[in-house]
Amino acid sequence: MKIGIVGYKGRMGKEIRDLFEEKSHEFVWGYDKDGEYFQKNPQIIIDFSLPEVFEKTEEYVKKFNVPLIIGTTGLQEEQIEALKALAKEVPVVQSYNFSIGIQLFLKMVDILKDKIDGWDVEIVETHHRFKKDKPSGTAKMIKESLNKDVPISSLRLGNVAGDHVLYMANLGEVLSISHRALSRRAFAEGVLKSAKFVINKKNGYFTFTDVI
């Protein structure tokens, strides 16, 4: 695959580029705060940047007429709606977390959510000091899976790639589910899996759950 990356100089952008090149794919286009890098037209665009860059990403996806994988967190509702409209023209994979472990976490939440009525439930998420949005998109996904109003505590510490813990307690016991990303490679692997999934599709709006 010939890939393009929005935010290619960022932490996640570099991780994605390294993994794709390791697997013999080619980085041919990029967009970052310093401008555009162009070698040739990409076959797919991957965006792990910031919400304020979204319109630029949309512009380039339409220009190249290619699939989009977007993991940007902190998107506004109107940006999600714009993604769904874009998906009528090209295939889009959108997720706030591209790790397989988080997908398994959400499966467990789905099993438990109807069995913890009357329990105290809270979510704690921890990320590196450079992450700008609070709470994390993944914490919001967990909350949505629970289908109830649950407090979320957010910590920004050091260089933590991503920790999420769901606590559930009654007066006699505490149950917790936790997930720790040891490196950003866990997310990059999910992006690669998504690229293989979406590269030959004509259009459609997909999540990482659909991919796996």
Side-chain angles (χ1 to χ4, degrees):
M1 286 178 281
K2 295 177 176 63
I3 67 164
I5 302 173
V6 178
Y8 72 101
K9 291 182 180 178
R11 294 172 190 81
M12 196 62 213
K14 289 176 182 175
E15 192 77 44
I16 290 167
R17 177 178 177 176
D18 288 347
L19 177 64
F20 273 72
E21 290 182 335
E22 178 188 314
K23 302 295 183 182
S24 300
H25 303 293
E26 189 180 0
F27 171 68
V28 298
W29 177 88
Y31 181 83
D32 209 275
K33 60 183 179 181
D34 299 323
E36 185 181 6
Y37 163 81
F38 181 86
Q39 185 181 356
K40 60 182 78 168
N41 287 2
Q43 295 174 300
I44 189 167
I45 287 178
I46 300 161
D47 180 7
F48 275 74
S49 59
L50 297 168
E52 47 264 40
V53 186
F54 175 79
E55 283 70 26
K56 268 289 182 188
T57 298
E58 190 178 18
E59 175 188 321
Y60 281 115
V61 168
K62 289 179 178 178
K63 175 183 176 181
F64 295 122
N65 192 33
V66 294
L68 170 66
I69 297 171
I70 182 164
T72 301
T73 60
L75 293 175
Q76 301 300 308
E77 188 58 40
E78 58 266 26
Q79 292 174 316
I80 294 291
E81 291 305 313
L83 272 180
K84 291 177 179 176
L86 181 63
K88 294 175 182 177
E89 303 172 40
V90 298
V92 173
V93 178
Q94 186 276 330
S95 182
Y96 293 126
N97 194 302
F98 280 83
S99 83
I100 293 171
I102 283 292
Q103 293 301 316
L104 297 174
F105 188 123
L106 295 174
K107 289 284 187 187
M108 287 187 273
V109 171
D110 197 47
I111 292 168
L112 290 168
K113 67 182 180 183
D114 296 327
K115 300 174 175 61
I116 52 172
D117 285 343
W119 291 46
D120 303 318
V121 182
E122 299 210 15
I123 299 164
V124 179
E125 58 96 354
T126 307
H127 285 84
H128 53 86
R129 65 174 70 166
F130 307 105
K131 185 172 177 63
K132 295 182 179 179
D133 57 305
K134 287 185 181 181
S136 69
T138 304
K140 291 177 182 177
M141 285 167 61
I142 296 167
K143 181 176 178 176
E144 286 172 12
S145 293
L146 286 162
N147 199 26
K148 60 178 70 179
D149 190 21
V150 176
I152 301 174
S153 299
S154 299
L155 305 176
R156 296 292 173 262
L157 302 170
N159 198 32
V160 178
D163 283 5
H164 292 87
V165 186
L166 172 63
Y167 290 102
M168 299 155 281
N170 59 28
L171 293 177
E173 57 192 336
V174 176
L175 174 63
S176 64
I177 306 172
S178 67
H179 176 270
R180 169 167 292 178
L182 299 178
S183 78
R184 293 177 182 86
R185 185 176 175 108
F187 311 127
E189 292 276 7
V191 173
L192 179 57
K193 189 179 286 286
S194 299
K196 292 175 180 177
F197 169 85
V198 82
I199 191 72
N200 292 317
K201 295 193 181 300
K202 292 184 178 180
N203 57 17
Y205 185 83
F206 306 97
T207 67
F208 191 52
T209 305
D210 299 315
V211 172
I212 67 163

